[in-house]
Amino acid sequence: MDSIPANRRLWNQISSAYQHEHDPRIGATPRLWGMYSIPDAHLHALGDVTGKRVLELGCGAGQWSRALAAEGATVVGLDLSEAQLTAAARAMGAARYPLVQGAAEQLPFAADSFDLVFCDFGGLSWAPPHLAVPQAARVLGRGGRLVFNVASPWFEACYDEAASRVTTTLQRDYFGLNTIAEGDGATSYQLTYGDWVKVLRGAGLIIDDLIEPRPELGTPNGYNETDPPDWAHRWPAELLWVTHKP
Ligand SMILES: C[S@@+](CC[C@H](N)C(=O)[O-])C[C@H]1O[C@@H](n2cnc3c(N)ncnc32)[C@H](O)[C@@H]1O
């Protein structure tokens, strides 16, 4: 299924409201991961990027990309949505970096173009992983790393559609989550733990770590209601995969 046109339409439509609501929190300080804005300094997922060639898949308004560019990485921010890229261009700091319109499942870069490909709820949440992961592996050089944060299957399986909140009850099957309808044909993607391992290993990547970001008690979720509010302190809401190309 080709979700590119519908996902592009959706993000063009919601970009302005999304940035208005979320940028103050996700752009507040550099290197914040996920729905709970957990600092990378606590998780140690990305490491030093000085002098590295870095691609962000689905950079949105570039909160991550501009931070890494300021640290001395040679960053490219890729996103499907021109509205999101316009927001990134507007927010660009003194460390300039190129913005490219494109899809994670069809990367417009040659093999061995990057030392680090990463995203935080970006291209690997919004493109079919069985297409996007091999593309990321292709554009990495040897020893290059693919690091990405996505929602956990726990989070999706406990999401109560009618109540619009994450609960302590299983609401849908774990097996076969696969695609999540986001309205008007837009689609996000969700794999089981086993399927992530298959897709990553199938693309020739080595899995170095699976970090389960755990917010402190009382940390609000910036995106979803959860019941109880400290849901993600008790169960893993996100999966932060750390891999490399041998
Ligand atoms: C939730 S945002 C993630 C960006 C940023 N980390 C943030 O938290 O705002 C998802 C981004 O993925 C982009 N996107 C959607 N489908 C995509 C695709 N197939 N390839 C690349 N980017 C895509 C959207 O335009 C959007 O900017």
Side-chain angles (χ1 to χ4, degrees):
M1 189 194 65
D2 180 5
S3 53
I4 292 175
N7 283 359
R8 181 175 164 202
R9 238 182 354 260
L10 171 75
W11 280 97
N12 281 339
Q13 275 163 13
I14 67 173
S15 171
S16 161
Y18 178 91
Q19 296 306 337
H20 182 74
E21 186 177 350
H22 297 296
D23 179 66
R25 184 166 175 204
I26 61 182
T29 58
R31 290 191 179 224
L32 299 176
W33 285 111
M35 297 183 283
Y36 294 86
S37 295
I38 300 180
D40 190 51
H42 297 176
L43 302 176
H44 308 291
L46 276 200
D48 183 11
V49 297
T50 315
K52 297 248 165 29
R53 303 168 297 165
V54 176
L55 172 65
E56 183 172 6
L57 291 178
C59 62
Q63 291 90 353
W64 269 98
S65 281
R66 72 168 180 258
L68 301 192
E71 291 175 29
T74 303
V75 178
V76 175
L78 173 128
D79 203 282
L80 191 56
S81 150
E82 53 270 30
Q84 290 282 77
L85 290 169
T86 301
R90 213 181 299 124
M92 204 174 279
R96 317 290 298 170
Y97 63 92
L99 294 167
V100 173
Q101 186 165 23
E105 53 270 65
Q106 298 172 358
L107 290 180
F109 306 106
D112 189 10
S113 295
F114 298 99
D115 306 308
L116 170 67
V117 176
F118 83 102
C119 61
D120 188 13
F121 282 86
L124 288 176
S125 300
W126 290 88
H130 72 281
L131 300 178
V133 169
Q135 283 288 304
R138 180 182 65 76
V139 302
L140 280 173
R142 281 175 149 236
R145 302 194 310 144
L146 172 63
V147 178
F148 62 97
N149 191 31
V150 294
S152 80
W154 289 72
F155 196 81
E156 299 296 353
C158 291
Y159 189 81
D160 181 343
E161 223 36 87
S164 298
R165 67 177 48 182
V166 180
T167 67
T168 55
T169 309
L170 291 173
Q171 305 285 342
R172 56 181 128 168
D173 291 356
Y174 167 82
F175 292 111
L177 280 168
N178 295 333
T179 58
I180 295 169
E182 304 281 358
D184 290 334
T187 306
S188 63
Y189 296 85
Q190 177 66 58
L191 300 188
T192 63
Y193 288 86
D195 283 345
W196 275 120
V197 170
K198 270 197 205 82
V199 167
L200 290 165
R201 294 189 56 182
L205 296 168
I206 306 290
I207 298 169
D208 298 309
D209 203 356
L210 170 55
I211 299 170
E212 298 174 297
R214 186 185 187 197
E216 298 294 331
L217 280 170
T219 310
N221 182 314
Y223 292 80
N224 290 282
E225 290 271 321
T226 63
D227 181 16
D230 284 314
W231 193 97
H233 187 75
R234 300 175 64 189
W235 296 278
E238 297 173 352
L239 310 180
L240 179 43
W241 292 94
V242 179
T243 74
H244 78 273
K245 178 170 172 172

